[in-house]
Amino acid sequence: ISEPIIEKLTFSEPEKKFECKVAFEVKPEIDIKPEDYRGIKVKKTVKEITDGDVEKIIQSIRNKEAKFKEVDREAKEGDLVELEYVAKIGDKEPEEPKRIAVVLGEKQLWPEVEAVVLGKKKGDSEEVSFKAPDDSNVYGDAAGKDVNIKFKVLSVKERELQELNDEFAKRHGSESLEKMRQEIKEELEISENIREQEEVEDQIVEALLKKVDVPVPPSMLDLEIRAQAENQLRRLAQFGVDVRQMNPQS
């Protein structure tokens, strides 16, 4: 499981003999006895796939492919709203005006701000001040600080969903809408069966680890650390973070 390291290399000219000693790590041998796994109790969470689960998938597809048209009314949940805003966080000087486009009701704005944006029309201006809760997962660097947001609504756009019919289904590779629903349900049931199996396997492995000593070679641990680091870098890149200067091997 590790890169081979040449520890010794010799060559005998008279005998035309070549010797090489290579060292590398192998997967550890795990000695599991019948008494180790007998009597292990596990719980399996079973979820029945319903028509509601299928409709959620279809609605998600429609939302992703939706188009937006500008409307002259108050903003409501589901609308795409473009804002120009100035933020003042804590004791810092107010930031330069910025623009942002968000879909209301999808937690893309801080809840205190979204509550004020809802009901506003194009051209409306408003100001909201609050002390951000101490939750960095939601508020980031503003967590626990006084926040002041001044904004102006630049546009309100309504979501236009594709009509739900056989043509919609055909665009997604199904013969009909009924067939599409059936195929989605089958896929969800397969995924649920896999999840249930993994749930049981995870409990068995966890129980065995408490009974059996499993030595972990340093190279295996290093590979796992690198894999976790690379996974985090990929996630950061998806959020627009420049990870070119970050090296998971360092």
Side-chain angles (χ1 to χ4, degrees):
I1 60 174
S2 65
E3 294 290 335
I5 299 175
I6 299 176
E7 293 186 342
K8 185 178 180 182
L9 184 63
T10 59
F11 179 73
S12 175
E13 181 64 36
E15 301 177 5
K16 303 295 183 181
K17 187 177 180 181
F18 174 81
E19 292 184 358
C20 179
K21 182 179 180 182
V22 180
F24 52 87
E25 292 181 352
V26 298
K27 290 184 179 180
E29 293 185 3
I30 304 174
D31 184 19
I32 299 179
K33 302 178 180 64
E35 57 266 27
D36 292 328
Y37 55 80
R38 285 176 181 164
I40 292 179
K41 295 181 180 180
V42 298
K43 293 182 179 180
K44 183 169 72 171
T45 306
V46 179
K47 181 183 184 302
E48 182 181 357
I49 302 301
T50 65
D51 292 342
D53 296 322
V54 174
E55 293 306 315
K56 285 181 182 178
I57 298 297
I58 292 177
Q59 188 62 29
S60 175
I61 296 172
R62 295 176 75 199
N63 286 335
K64 289 179 180 178
E65 298 178 349
K67 296 181 180 179
F68 290 89
K69 69 172 182 178
E70 190 165 349
V71 292
D72 184 19
R73 60 163 172 74
E74 296 178 347
K76 62 181 181 180
E77 285 194 3
D79 287 343
L80 177 67
V81 178
E82 186 180 6
L83 305 171
E84 182 177 71
Y85 71 95
V86 175
K88 185 178 187 305
I89 311 296
D91 298 330
K92 293 183 179 179
E93 291 297 317
E95 300 176 352
E96 292 295 318
K98 296 181 180 179
R99 290 191 176 190
I100 187 174
V102 296
V103 177
L104 300 180
E106 297 190 1
K107 298 182 179 180
Q108 297 176 4
L109 285 175
W110 290 333
E112 295 84 356
V113 178
E114 180 164 305
V116 180
V117 173
L118 284 166
K120 297 295 183 293
K121 299 175 63 176
K122 178 180 178 179
D124 288 349
S125 296
E126 189 60 85
E127 180 176 357
V128 55
S129 297
F130 62 95
K131 185 176 180 62
D134 193 14
D135 184 352
S136 58
N137 291 327
V138 176
Y139 297 90
D141 293 338
K145 299 177 182 177
D146 292 324
V147 177
N148 176 267
I149 306 286
K150 296 178 182 179
F151 69 85
K152 180 179 180 180
V153 180
L154 302 179
S155 67
V156 176
K157 296 181 180 180
E158 185 177 66
R159 177 180 285 166
E160 288 187 320
L161 297 175
Q162 294 185 35
E163 189 175 351
L164 198 55
N165 51 28
D166 288 345
E167 290 302 317
F168 172 83
K170 289 177 181 178
R171 287 196 295 271
H172 292 86
S174 298
E175 297 177 1
S176 65
L177 185 56
E178 181 180 355
K179 185 69 173 177
M180 182 180 186
R181 288 192 170 105
Q182 179 184 341
E183 291 168 349
I184 290 174
K185 188 170 186 178
E186 290 173 354
E187 290 176 2
L188 289 175
E189 288 173 343
I190 291 173
S191 297
E192 176 58 21
N193 289 334
I194 293 173
R195 186 203 63 77
E196 292 173 6
Q197 182 65 28
E198 290 177 345
E199 180 184 32
V200 171
E201 291 175 356
D202 288 345
Q203 292 178 66
I204 293 173
V205 170
E206 185 177 352
L208 286 173
L209 288 175
K210 293 178 180 178
K211 298 180 179 182
V212 181
D213 182 29
V214 181
V216 181
S219 60
M220 182 176 288
L221 181 61
D222 184 57
L223 286 172
E224 179 62 23
I225 292 173
R226 292 189 183 188
Q228 292 287 343
E230 290 171 356
N231 182 51
Q232 291 298 321
L233 290 180
R234 283 193 294 270
R235 292 183 60 189
L236 289 171
Q238 291 175 351
F239 286 98
V241 177
D242 185 358
V243 298
R244 289 174 294 181
Q245 302 301 320
M246 300 182 186
N247 184 354
Q249 298 182 4
S250 61

